[in-house]
Amino acid sequence: MNIKDLVTSTRAYNLHSHTQFCDGRADMARFVDVAISAGIRHLGFTPHSPIPIDSPCNMKKEDVKAYFDEFNRLKGIHADQINVYISMEIDYLGDMWGASHEYFKNLPLDYRLSSIHFIPSQDGELIDVDGSPSGFIEKMQKYFHNDIRYVVDTFYNRTTDMIEKGGFDMIGHFDKIGFNASIYRPGIEDEAWYRKHIDNIIDLVAARPLVVEVNTKAWDAPVGSNDEAVKSYNPRLFPSAPTIRRLHEAGVTLAVNSDVHYPQRILTGRDAAFRIIDAI
């Protein structure tokens, strides 16, 4: 599968979705039905990959066969209505685990999405920094000694390593740390050292045949959200609109994905993202 050709030829796609095999809130069949009704003609399944540490959000290795079996069943049933693709959102955990690992090379995936969710604390413990702002603030004190500069630097250093090791086709929400970091310390994304990280990542992806995801998951607060901090920072995209402009100027191919966990949110933020891209 050539992602670049797909995302430059149509907008009727979503290549980042999470179902019952990880932390998604509905089964694959339901996502297919909703995608068809919403006019999506290309749907990619990307469960959070198996990883060698405990995580409530990641699929288990023992469930991979069942995932492939269900994918093949749905592909056969809906072949005349929608194109479905099998993938994973592969966590990069440093030298120990990532898209370039032999395990993923041997899986017959249509494409590979790679993202950073975990970074090591100063004590070496891998911590998920991708959760809610309230949880992030608690982890800042519990695991990171309230050193936001360490967290951001480590996140982007890991992103750099992930890109250089390769093994994937599309990078997911590469500046998402900015969401929680900006709630923890407002204005941090405008600081020169932070912008330098973004510039470095853009240079790296521009030199490679990678697609960069424009992730629309946080365009509006989830239904029922009581987290006022989340609401105060909506709407936004990952990467941010100024970064999208710089990516465009660098000639990077963009893919608009909703990182959907709830079927009813499969189109969340997509029209807005395309309007922003069109304006650029």
Side-chain angles (χ1 to χ4, degrees):
M1 174 187 179
N2 189 312
I3 292 181
K4 283 193 174 184
D5 287 347
L6 174 60
V7 302
T8 55
S9 65
T10 182
R11 293 185 171 183
Y13 66 83
N14 188 63
L15 302 176
H16 190 165
S17 63
H18 298 281
T19 65
Q20 79 269 31
F21 286 100
C22 58
D23 60 347
R25 305 304 183 183
D27 59 34
M28 292 170 67
R30 176 62 178 157
F31 275 86
V32 171
D33 290 341
V34 171
I36 292 170
S37 297
I40 296 293
R41 293 296 171 256
H42 303 272
L43 176 65
F45 292 109
T46 54
H48 292 289
S49 70
I51 54 176
I53 61 173
D54 290 334
S55 168
C57 295
N58 290 71
M59 74 183 305
K60 307 299 183 184
K61 268 190 177 182
E62 56 266 31
D63 292 332
V64 171
K65 182 182 183 303
Y67 167 51
F68 273 81
D69 289 345
E70 178 62 359
F71 170 82
N72 288 323
R73 185 185 75 84
L74 293 170
K75 184 176 181 180
I77 292 172
H78 297 285
D80 60 340
Q81 296 173 289
I82 190 171
N83 296 304
V84 292
Y85 306 98
I86 193 160
S87 181
M88 289 183 184
E89 183 176 15
I90 302 170
D91 272 292
Y92 179 74
L93 302 179
D95 292 338
M96 69 182 293
W97 200 249
S100 62
H101 192 278
E102 285 298 318
Y103 176 75
F104 296 106
K105 289 181 180 179
N106 293 326
L107 288 177
L109 301 172
D110 290 320
Y111 64 95
R112 289 160 176 81
L113 170 67
S114 193
S115 306
I116 302 289
H117 299 99
F118 298 84
I119 65 169
S121 69
Q122 292 94 326
D123 299 322
E125 183 178 359
L126 285 170
I127 305 299
D128 183 357
V129 294
D130 193 63
S132 69
S134 57
F136 179 81
I137 291 169
E138 292 176 5
K139 291 174 183 177
M140 282 298 302
Q141 180 176 1
K142 183 176 180 179
Y143 299 107
F144 297 111
H145 311 293
N146 286 315
D147 188 346
I148 191 63
R149 179 68 184 260
Y150 169 84
V151 170
V152 172
D153 284 345
T154 303
F155 181 92
Y156 284 116
N157 289 340
R158 286 253 158 167
T159 303
T160 296
D161 292 343
M162 178 181 75
I163 294 169
E164 290 178 340
K165 283 190 170 59
F168 61 96
D169 307 286
M170 180 164 54
I171 182 169
H173 51 64
F174 81 74
D175 71 342
K176 197 174 180 188
I177 193 64
F179 182 64
N180 280 335
S182 292
I183 292 174
Y184 183 83
R185 190 166 94 193
I188 194 171
E189 291 177 280
D190 295 324
E191 297 177 19
W193 65 274
Y194 187 101
R195 295 199 307 271
K196 181 63 175 174
H197 279 304
I198 297 296
D199 290 339
N200 289 342
I201 299 302
I202 292 174
D203 288 343
L204 285 172
V205 298
R208 290 164 172 79
L210 288 175
V211 172
V212 170
E213 171 187 80
V214 176
N215 187 300
T216 66
K217 178 183 177 181
W219 185 253
D220 55 16
V223 175
S225 174
N226 292 319
D227 195 329
E228 294 302 321
V230 171
K231 294 177 182 178
S232 70
Y233 274 79
N234 289 318
R236 71 166 292 162
L237 304 170
F238 307 111
S240 63
T243 301
I244 292 172
R245 176 179 293 279
R246 289 149 72 187
L247 286 161
H248 172 72
E249 291 169 351
V252 175
T253 300
L254 303 173
V256 176
N257 295 323
S258 62
D259 191 356
V260 59
H261 290 65
Y262 297 83
Q264 65 269 26
R265 292 176 61 80
I266 199 165
L267 297 180
T268 292
R270 287 175 51 80
D271 287 345
F274 281 122
R275 285 196 300 271
I276 290 168
I277 292 169
D278 289 343
I280 291 171

